[in-house]
Amino acid sequence: LKYFSSWQRARRAIAVCLRFKQKLLERKTKKTEPQNEKKEYKPVDVTEMKVAGTVMIKDAQGAEFNKEIEMLQDIGPDGQSIRKRQRKLKNSKLLRLDPFLQDGMLRVGGRIKRANFDLNIVHPVIIPKNSQVAQLLITHFHQKTGHMGANTTLSEIRASGYWILSGKSMVAAHVYKCVTCRK
């Protein structure tokens, strides 16, 4: 991911790689040789882009929060109390967010779960602070908001369903380094 400077380009490239992986798996299961037909390239569609974004986020979370994910998988959806979870995740950066796993991704927990809002707004996906995914998201939303500033960029990130750890300082540092904003 360090090769890419754009969230959209990174998602598109990962989506193409996932499509290629799927074709190789299909070829392996069918045990047929590749045909010499020339097939036209079809652009990546929206669902493939969403899956690619999910894969990138899961990879970043797995690299940073592997121990926490294993603990939460062991706990399972049986609804154990937060106190038991606190003992297991004692030194975790995620403890204050009351994390839970859904579809293999860490999400922010909390009391707002009964609200009638979209899942991404109520329980945003947790993004590790030092990951390339966080940098790509900050750059994407800073450009999307038209270089409006740190607070606008951070609220757009959170409204889109992402929770970057230490997000305020990360976004402020990005805005400070932004050449367009400096000018």
Side-chain angles (χ1 to χ4, degrees), residues 30-168:
K30 291 179 184 177
K31 295 184 179 179
T32 59
E33 293 298 317
Q35 298 173 354
N36 291 334
E37 299 176 16
K38 270 198 162 185
K39 295 184 179 180
E40 284 189 31
Y41 173 76
K42 294 179 185 173
V44 180
D45 62 354
V46 175
T47 56
E48 290 175 319
M49 293 278 277
K50 285 182 181 179
V51 169
T54 303
V55 167
M56 289 174 15
I57 290 169
K58 283 182 183 180
D59 184 51
Q61 286 180 346
E64 186 75 22
F65 307 123
N66 193 22
K67 183 174 68 171
E68 290 88 347
I69 291 173
E70 287 176 5
M71 292 285 186
L72 289 172
Q73 285 174 342
D74 289 344
I75 290 172
D78 61 355
Q80 284 187 345
S81 71
I82 296 171
R83 290 185 184 144
K84 289 182 182 178
R85 226 185 276 176
Q86 283 178 351
R87 277 187 253 137
K88 291 182 178 180
L89 300 175
K90 194 179 210 178
N91 298 325
S92 176
K93 305 170 201 171
L94 301 177
L95 185 60
R96 297 177 72 197
L97 296 176
D98 188 28
F100 69 95
L101 278 175
Q102 184 174 26
D103 300 328
M105 288 193 300
L106 282 171
R107 292 185 173 270
V108 176
R111 299 181 313 179
I112 197 168
K113 59 185 159 195
R114 293 191 180 113
N116 292 329
F117 293 117
D118 184 32
L119 175 72
N120 290 328
I121 294 171
V122 176
H123 300 295
V125 175
I126 299 172
I127 307 292
K129 172 184 172 180
N130 297 323
S131 68
Q132 182 67 18
V133 173
Q135 291 298 323
L136 292 174
L137 283 171
I138 291 170
T139 304
H140 172 73
F141 285 107
H142 183 60
Q143 291 172 351
K144 184 179 175 183
T145 58
H147 301 272
M148 289 292 291
N151 289 333
T152 307
T153 303
L154 185 62
S155 29
E156 186 67 26
I157 290 170
R158 290 189 176 158
S160 297
Y162 303 107
W163 187 279
I164 300 174
L165 295 177
S166 303
K168 190 172 185 179

